[in-house]
Amino acid sequence: MPRILSSVFRSIKYEIQKHSRNSVCNFSSQPIFPTRERCFVLGIETSCDDTGCAIVDNKGKILGEALHSQQQVHLDFGGIIPPVAKKLHQEHIEKVVQDALKASHLNMDDIDAVAATVKPGLPLSLVVGMNYGKELCRKFAKPFIPVHHMEAHTLTIRMIQKVDFPFLVLLISGGHCLLAIAQAVDKYLLLGHSIDDAPGEALDKTARRLKLRNIPEFSKLSGGQAIEKASERGNLLAFAFPSPMSDYRNCDFSFAGLKNVVTRHILHEEAENDAFFCVGTEGDQLIPSVFDLCASFQFAIALHLCRRVQRAMEFVEQNDLLPLNNRTLVVSGGVACNRFIAKMLQVVCNEKSYQLAIPPPKLCTDNGIMIAWNGMERWLTNAGIVNDLDSVNIEAKCPLGKDIRDAVAEASIKCKWIKHKVFIAAIQ
Ligand code: KG4
Ligand code: ZN
């Protein structure tokens, strides 16, 4: 290993060891703060188009929860319009928080702290939840816990099963795509992220361009859900998509190129149809190869994710970044609901001796529970609890943890890829 890399990793390994020694946030450890046996955190999520609230206790029990989704409105608009999202958050936040509290049979006096997403996300949306959370803190004299949305997606799994730090995490959603090592509640090493679209964004835009909403049973589904369902009717080997960033031996992602290949094919097929059959594919009509395109596109996205994860695992192996006998890949974010992608990732985990841990779909997509649980993990470890409310503000963009993408690229790991036929056998 080059000297510069080995010194980076000595310090990374030291950090990991230090954190696993000091870690107080697995279930068996004693919380250092507070001293009460049972405590409750109320969490608020408004980073994008879901208004969510939940109350959880320190054992991960969900006392009450409520969620208002704006999905249908944004599907009708053909995408998220930030001022519309803001208005809907404002209209629903009061009821969502009150519903969650009512379901919990607790009142604000019982709550130990209030957590709210403050970064990253749509500024107009973030500000609604943060301000509402701060107001609760002022009114009931509670501490505030600002939450990083991607940290919350990462930690959700620890609410439902035992996953010790450090672990590898892949977050795939409508707004984000990243690979990281989670070392502690508030410590992450960023191995890679998307240089353009997030996978959910590419799926949503492609579903819209393919007019999947015109198929009645798909009309209320998100783009990603619709493509997953449509793919079941298609042949994933019908179209061969290029492998994104195959010349870059790093762990970054790119989905815009794949999306553009589909768009070009749609345009081509629409033009062909118009010329040969004199029937326009304008308006409501779907192109004949719609299901094959969905299946091949989904396969290409899954394969790209699998390859970046495989390289990340080989990087971990080379640099001894995770304990040998206890390696877990956590996958979360909305796209982690996709069972096809999960099966493909399971193949990589089997090959590399990792446990695969994915929260149930309800906890993969945005919700208030994950924010409340992130707040609880921080409350139990006394990490980032705020009393001066004015010191906290929203941040539209905010990377997760320490960026070591350059070190990953410098390692330039040439992987021996898992064969297509191994994936095909697993998904049939
Ligand atoms: O995590 P999330 O609720 O919001 C963001 O933080 O982005 O993720 C929403 C994304 C959307 O792009 C949606 O199309 C995608 O998750 N999604 C799926 C599935 N369910 C939701 N993508 C693929 N397959 C699914 N089953
Ligand atoms: Zn999310």
Side-chain angles (χ1 to χ4, degrees), residues 289-300:
S289 68
V290 59
F291 298 124
D292 285 346
L293 259 183
C294 285
S296 305
F297 180 53
Q298 180 179 252
F299 183 50

Side-chain angles (χ1 to χ4, degrees), residues 71 75 204 207 218-227:
Q71 181 169 295
L75 277 174
D204 292 343
F218 297 169
S219 64
K220 293 200 162 38
L221 302 182
S222 68
Q225 286 171 315
I227 287 192

Side-chain angles (χ1 to χ4, degrees), residues 45 47 149-150 153 173 176 333-334 364-366 370:
E45 158 64 23
S47 68
H149 184 80
M150 307 316 288
H153 274 307
S173 70
H176 307 275
C364 280
T365 47
D366 291 352
M370 69 185 205

Side-chain angles (χ1 to χ4, degrees), residues 105-168:
H105 301 292
L106 298 172
N107 59 49
M108 278 307 295
D109 292 334
D110 302 314
I111 303 293
D112 293 86
V114 174
T117 311
V118 302
K119 61 191 174 187
L122 300 173
L124 292 178
S125 293
L126 284 168
V127 86
V128 179
M130 181 191 71
N131 285 345
Y132 196 91
K134 283 183 177 180
E135 252 338 283
L136 285 178
C137 292
R138 277 194 196 96
K139 196 163 162 198
F140 297 98
K142 304 290 174 188
F144 184 63
I145 306 176
V147 166
H148 190 300
H149 184 80
M150 307 316 288
E151 181 179 305
H153 274 307
T154 302
L155 298 178
T156 310
I157 193 74
R158 285 165 49 84
M159 195 182 91
I160 45 182
Q161 73 184 71
K162 183 167 158 43
V163 176
D164 292 331
F165 294 113
F167 56 86
L168 184 63

